[in-house]
Amino acid sequence: MSSQTTTAPKGLRTGTLSTADVSFFVVSAAAPLTVMAGVAPIAVVLGGIGAPAGYLLAGITLAVFAVGFTAMSRHVRNGGAFYAYITRGLGKPVGIAAALLAMLGYNGMEIGVYGLLGTATADTGHALWGVDIPWLPVSLAGLLLIWYGGFRSIDFGAKLLGVLLVAETGILVLLAGGVLIDGGADGLSLTSFAPGNVLVPGTAAVLAFAFAAFTGFESTVIYRREARNPERTIPRATYIAVGFLGLFYAFVVWTVIQAFGQDKVVQAATADPGGLFFAAITTYVGAWAADLMHILIVTSVLASLLAFHNAINRYGLALAEEGVLPAAFGRVHPRHRSPYVSGILQTVLGAVVVLGFAAAGADPYQQLLLWVNTPGMIGLMVLQLLAALAVPLFFRRISHDEGRLRTVVAPVTAFVLLAGAIGLVVTHVDLFTGASTTVNTVLISLVPAVFALGLLLAYRLRRTRPEVYANFAAEPAEPAEPAEGEISCPPPTSSSSTPASAHPSSPRTPLSPSTTD
């Protein structure tokens, strides 16, 4: 009996991640400390004391998106996350194009951050010890460290990210607590949320930054196969992630405004945006806390890199199982149960990009980070837009008992709001890149170009590999019932396979909802 059990096929480690674990992955990807200390001061410069409301509005928009998104997650069990949802609603050509766009988006969001890792480490070394640390060796060492984190088991990554996330949010809570206890510079006030301070010309730019601060929260569904009871875990983790980020961002920015006073904070942020949070925590907590914040920014960046790396590896695994990427991407480590070949190849791609920018003499922050991140961020926002549109179209085709609020009202509302958000980001893209119009045009054009390439790939697959095209994003087959006295082993893991321990879908959930070609 034991010998039969040990020869069961090895896939991803199923039933491992709790709601908290999945939440750690997606919140860590957003890098809350880095976003607050590095980007929020610019939002204050642009939007004034009403900046905190921008983060709340972005959080509300994405919470509306999550309503339809999580409703669909209970009906689509494919491991391809975004592209599977989009395929079910908008058809295979758009779904395959979305798969390529997802690879651009997540790789762009991760690889560019290696430039930030180098500069953040250099800034920390200079601030704490007065030493100049070259950015390139740090970025290359980060590539190896993140590869190892992704190579290890998913529960190892969840525990590590849990510790790092608690540390980076903890230092922000410490700052906020110091301000609240002391009463701020001029006493505490909620006028940041008054309409007159929110509805100002700079709010549009603040919203663009705010939406960018949530990037990665939707990746909860990527971990479906590794989650415990995914029908509950994934929706809960999604709501926790977007709710926490929206409230936490708004609260922290508000407390920093109180720290300097509503009449002086914009001037302070304009004079030294990079030092705003460090000055606040030095005043209200102590210099030691500022030193600790410098260190925790580096660990925040590492946590974000690991979270995106894990997401990319699982997309590569899913697309290999679909037959779109080479089969090597789908190999799973027999011990750690991680998509280790996909991780190796993703690390090599990151090294090529980092070394290419370094060879060209590019600035690691202004060019490697901002130029690579920007198309990635826009690509992920477009995927959210397409997923919102896919939800009502999907539910029109199947029998279900979900209400119209989840299947029509919320996703259509989210589609309109996300379209506006993308418009804000594109029209204010110069704030993200600091680059010329020509560079910005190229960066933005990468998104439709990759999408068009995906459509061409879809039509090529339909003509040359019809079996791959026909089975793309297919629903998992139910595991067969074992014969009497026979030991049940799980089927080989693939994007169209479910763990043997999964509960059979309810009668209202069809195994293979029809999709349009």
Side-chain angles (χ1 to χ4, degrees):
M1 182 178 295
S2 60
S3 63
Q4 293 184 42
T5 303
T6 57
T7 58
K10 296 286 188 180
L12 293 177
R13 195 184 298 276
T14 59
T16 298
L17 301 178
S18 65
T19 298
D21 293 331
V22 178
S23 301
F24 288 150
F25 273 103
V26 297
V27 175
S28 295
L33 176 56
T34 304
V35 165
M36 289 289 93
V39 180
I42 301 174
V44 173
V45 171
L46 297 171
I49 64 172
Y55 291 95
L56 277 183
L57 293 173
I60 291 169
T61 297
L62 294 173
V64 173
F65 165 76
V67 172
F69 187 63
T70 56
M72 198 167 176
S73 73
R74 290 192 289 271
H75 297 262
V76 178
R77 295 174 290 123
N78 182 282
F82 259 145
Y83 77 71
Y85 289 33
I86 293 168
T87 299
R88 298 301 171 75
L90 303 178
K92 291 186 176 68
V94 179
I96 293 171
L100 262 63
L101 195 56
M103 295 300 286
L104 169 72
Y106 284 105
N107 273 291
M109 289 302 299
E110 195 228 13
I111 294 173
V113 176
Y114 283 109
L116 177 59
L117 176 63
T119 56
T121 304
D123 290 344
T124 298
H126 185 76
L128 299 186
W129 305 294
V131 298
D132 293 323
I133 302 174
W135 73 270
L136 182 59
V138 173
S139 297
L140 294 177
L143 278 158
L144 292 176
L145 185 62
I146 297 306
W147 162 79
Y148 178 74
F151 172 75
R152 292 291 303 272
S153 63
I154 192 69
D155 49 338
F156 170 84
K159 290 181 176 65
L160 177 61
L161 289 178
V163 172
L164 296 179
L165 182 61
V166 169
E168 67 174 296
T169 55
I171 194 70
L172 291 171
V173 170
L174 187 64
L175 165 60
V179 174
L180 294 177
I181 292 171
D182 195 79
D186 305 312
L188 303 178
S189 171
L190 294 176
T191 54
S192 286
F193 303 98
N197 292 319
V198 175
L199 303 177
V200 297
T203 300
V206 173
L207 284 170
F209 279 101
F211 277 102
F214 286 80
T215 304
F217 91 94
E218 74 296 323
S219 61
T220 51
V221 293
I222 296 174
Y223 301 100
R224 178 184 179 88
R225 282 192 278 174
E226 293 158 291
R228 304 173 198 159
N229 194 359
E231 286 74 15
R232 292 186 179 183
T233 298
I234 299 305
R236 286 175 179 174
T238 304
Y239 284 120
I240 289 172
V242 70
F244 171 79
L245 289 173
L247 294 172
F248 190 68
Y249 285 155
F251 171 67
V252 170
V253 176
W254 173 77
T255 57
V256 168
I257 290 172
Q258 306 311 302
F260 288 89
Q262 297 179 151
D263 297 332
K264 298 178 181 178
V265 67
V266 174
Q267 179 183 355
T270 303
D272 185 15
L276 189 72
F277 274 67
F278 295 101
I281 201 168
T282 299
T283 300
Y284 289 91
V285 182
W288 67 268
D291 293 343
L292 181 58
M293 182 178 281
H294 274 291
I295 295 171
L296 291 178
I297 283 180
V298 176
T299 64
S300 171
V301 174
L302 287 170
S304 177
L305 285 166
L306 179 57
F308 274 115
H309 180 71
N310 276 300
I312 295 164
N313 293 350
R314 279 146 185 82
Y315 259 111
L317 170 69
L319 287 172
E321 293 167 343
E322 299 280 9
V324 175
L325 289 180
F329 282 81
R331 293 179 185 170
V332 175
H333 193 273
R335 178 184 174 190
H336 298 303
R337 311 283 286 278
S338 62
Y340 73 106
V341 174
S342 184
I344 292 171
L345 295 173
Q346 199 280 327
T347 301
V348 170
L349 174 63
V352 169
V353 174
V354 168
L355 289 171
F357 272 80
D363 183 87
Y365 184 91
Q366 294 289 337
Q367 293 167 316
L368 174 55
L369 171 67
L370 300 181
W371 290 11
V372 177
N373 261 193
T374 297
M377 173 186 65
I378 296 173
L380 292 183
M381 294 183 73
V382 170
L383 286 175
Q384 292 174 4
L385 183 75
L386 293 174
L389 180 60
V391 173
L393 297 176
F394 168 79
F395 280 110
R396 286 181 59 188
R397 299 192 182 106
I398 70 167
S399 175
H400 63 88
D401 58 7
E402 305 280 357
R404 287 182 61 82
L405 175 64
R406 287 180 173 275
T407 61
V408 179
V409 177
V412 170
T413 303
F415 176 83
V416 174
L417 294 174
L418 286 167
I422 293 171
L424 288 174
V425 170
V426 170
T427 54
H428 293 85
V429 71
D430 57 306
L431 297 176
F432 291 93
T433 65
S436 66
T437 302
T438 301
V439 171
N440 288 334
T441 301
V442 171
L443 295 178
I444 294 171
S445 298
L446 283 173
V447 175
V450 169
F451 190 81
L453 182 64
L455 292 175
L456 293 175
L457 173 62
Y459 295 128
R460 184 175 183 274
L461 286 173
R462 185 168 65 179
R463 185 179 69 255
T464 62
R465 302 174 66 192
E467 71 290 347
V468 171
Y469 182 85
N471 293 321
F472 185 78
E475 257 313 72
E478 294 291 355
E481 292 293 332
E484 186 176 353
E486 185 181 14
I487 298 207
S488 175
C489 293
T493 302
S494 71
S495 63
S496 54
S497 67
T498 3
S501 59
H503 293 292
S505 60
S506 61
R508 62 182 170 85
T509 308
L511 291 180
S512 184
S514 60
T515 56
T516 56
D517 288 347

